[in-house]
Amino acid sequence: MPTNSLTLGKTIGIIGGGQLGRMMATTARHMGYRLVVLDPTPNCPAAQLADKQIIANYDDFEAIKQLATLVDLVTYEFENVDLKTARYLADKGLLPQGTASLEVTQDRELEKRLMEKLNQPVAPFEIINHQDDFKRAVEKIGFPAVVKTCRGGYDGKGQMILESIADLAEAEVMLGNNQRLIYEKLIQFDREVSIVFTRSQAGVIQYFPIAENEHREHILDKTIVPARISDSVARQIKQAAEVVATALNVVGTFAIEFFVKGEEIYINELAPRPHNSGHFTIEACNVSQFEQHIRAICNLPLIPVLFHGGAVMVNLLGDNLHIYREKINQLETAHLHFYGKDQIKPKRKIGHLTFVAGDRDQLIDELTERNLI
């Protein structure tokens, strides 16, 4: 067993109490760990499985100091962890993941600059600090383009598509509400895919199968595994993942989203945590992205990944939950996950379904014929 591994009965702190924290907590419970969750919402999904919840905002420094006194290590379920508190936890030896991944993934400019430095493929981009910068960006990149906030934003929030000069007025308003924007070429991709992997504290990487993602209104609708891409594209993606993971000294589960256009790939976004597109791993692999994450941060050996052969994951949102509720008797092959959220709202992730089979294409055909996807 590695030295300094976190042994049975120790306590893990989780910053963030949503569905990713809940699934981390489920795994940690199975592995014999105790849990303390920090989240501002009482009885949040992860807290329902924890020994204790600290009800406080994520940047509440006193609450973070309290958390530090109660746990043996800390992890997080999202990348927008306050860097001051993250550095405090790292300095106390409580944050095995460190702060490098957080610092980079919190800021799209830093993320893009790092990809350039590492010679990794990204869409052409310009940083917008002032209104005058739009002119330079239009001259260099043109239209169509996508404008995003450099900090914050998820599931399509904090971004807009620009089709022509006429759209710049709205982008200028967006700049007025933010310090910086990133203006990047809109890639007309064939597929959007993601690779989820886990890296141990010793630098060993275990990859999950590359997933193909379909979005609806900027929110992940379904994930198909394995992605329908060529072997050469898959090799490029794994090579890129290894370069990024090594540069950031990643510890734990990490995800990278890509656009695929023919045989070309473009890195879209990084996520220093388990990822929505990796939920299929719970049933379709011999080890989930969450168990690998807990093993990595606890300095336990990672498990070599085995895959059943085919999987489809469908997100359940406030919008489509009623559709699947009405079909509940047709879901005999689906693994059901509900996140314990107290309110059902449009666009809010309420749960997911995972269908598993030995053959991806046969699975897709069957689910399509039964109108389940």
Side-chain angles (χ1 to χ4, degrees):
M1 180 177 291
T3 58
N4 301 317
S5 56
L6 194 66
T7 54
L8 182 72
K10 297 293 186 178
T11 302
I12 297 173
I14 302 176
I15 299 175
Q19 62 264 22
L20 295 177
R22 181 187 180 94
M23 286 181 268
M24 287 183 197
T26 300
T27 292
R29 275 290 194 211
H30 289 168
M31 296 174 69
Y33 294 112
R34 300 176 68 82
L35 297 161
V36 178
V37 170
L38 188 151
D39 192 279
T41 304
N43 196 41
C44 58
Q48 294 165 18
L49 296 166
D51 297 278
K52 179 179 176 65
Q53 179 183 2
I54 298 173
I55 301 173
N57 291 328
Y58 306 124
D59 60 353
D60 185 329
F61 196 62
E62 292 304 313
I64 291 291
K65 290 199 288 187
Q66 180 189 359
L67 178 68
T69 66
L70 297 173
V71 302
D72 297 288
L73 63 80
V74 177
T75 188
Y76 47 82
E77 71 152 4
F78 53 80
E79 50 268 41
N80 292 316
V81 175
D82 181 72
L83 275 177
K84 176 185 174 183
T85 61
R87 290 179 180 128
Y88 170 81
L89 294 168
D91 289 344
K92 294 185 73 67
L94 294 174
L95 192 67
Q97 293 160 267
T99 60
S101 291
L102 282 174
E103 186 169 3
V104 168
T105 58
Q106 284 182 8
D107 192 298
R108 287 189 170 102
E109 179 179 359
L110 292 180
E111 191 172 279
K112 296 289 187 184
R113 300 288 188 205
L114 177 63
M115 295 305 99
E116 284 188 323
K117 181 180 178 182
L118 297 175
N119 295 315
Q120 296 305 303
V122 293
F125 71 93
E126 292 289 326
I127 301 302
I128 308 296
N129 292 293
H130 308 284
Q131 287 191 4
D132 293 345
D133 295 333
F134 281 113
K135 181 179 179 181
R136 182 191 71 250
V138 170
E139 289 174 350
K140 288 188 175 182
I141 296 173
F143 300 102
V146 58
V147 174
K148 304 175 183 178
T149 56
C150 283
R151 298 184 71 85
Y154 63 95
D155 286 347
K157 297 177 177 67
Q159 62 180 274
M160 63 175 292
I161 304 296
L162 305 182
E163 299 286 355
S164 68
I165 291 288
D167 295 326
L168 285 179
E170 189 176 350
E172 290 173 356
V173 172
M174 187 175 175
L175 176 63
N177 295 325
N178 297 275
Q179 293 182 332
R180 288 169 297 135
L181 301 177
I182 186 166
Y183 183 112
E184 64 181 63
K185 181 179 179 62
L186 185 67
I187 301 296
Q188 304 295 342
F189 56 85
D190 300 320
R191 303 190 189 282
E192 184 171 345
V193 306
S194 57
I195 187 166
V196 177
F197 61 88
T198 310
R199 187 172 184 268
S200 72
Q201 296 182 36
V204 175
I205 302 177
Q206 289 290 339
Y207 298 95
F208 292 100
I210 298 170
E212 178 180 337
N213 302 314
E214 298 180 7
H215 290 77
R216 182 175 297 174
E217 297 182 51
H218 301 290
I219 300 173
L220 182 62
D221 179 47
K222 68 175 70 72
T223 295
I224 297 168
V225 193
R228 292 168 288 192
I229 55 176
S230 68
D231 291 343
S232 64
V233 166
R235 283 194 297 271
Q236 291 180 66
I237 287 172
K238 283 191 176 181
Q239 289 166 359
E242 182 175 5
V243 170
V244 172
T246 302
L248 288 174
N249 194 26
V250 166
V251 171
T253 294
F254 196 99
I256 307 178
E257 298 176 0
F258 294 82
F259 297 134
V260 177
K261 184 177 182 180
E263 291 295 295
E264 298 178 331
I265 65 170
Y266 298 87
I267 291 177
N268 180 33
E269 290 186 353
L270 313 180
R273 50 167 173 78
H275 196 256
N276 193 172
S277 68
H279 291 349
F280 74 92
T281 63
I282 298 172
E283 286 90 17
C285 297
N286 62 317
V287 60
S288 75
Q289 62 169 341
F290 301 101
E291 181 174 349
Q292 292 283 59
H293 181 72
I294 297 298
R295 295 179 74 89
I297 63 173
C298 294
N299 208 15
L300 298 172
L302 301 183
I303 297 175
V305 175
L306 302 176
F307 175 57
H308 279 295
V312 174
M313 188 280 298
V314 178
N315 260 341
L316 298 178
L317 309 180
D319 309 66
N320 67 355
L321 181 61
H322 68 284
I323 297 173
Y324 286 96
R325 276 181 169 167
E326 291 169 2
K327 296 180 177 180
I328 193 72
N329 291 332
Q330 300 176 49
L331 300 177
E332 72 277 1
T333 61
H335 298 273
L336 309 177
H337 292 259
F338 292 98
Y339 300 151
K341 295 185 178 180
D342 59 354
Q343 292 184 334
I344 298 174
K345 300 177 182 178
K347 315 305 177 202
R348 192 182 196 195
K349 295 171 184 173
I350 303 300
H352 71 267
L353 308 173
T354 302
F355 301 88
V356 181
D359 183 275
R360 175 199 62 204
D361 294 338
Q362 288 181 7
L363 177 61
I364 292 172
D365 289 345
E366 178 185 345
L367 296 177
T368 302
E369 183 179 342
R370 298 177 62 187
N371 201 29
L372 292 176
I373 60 172

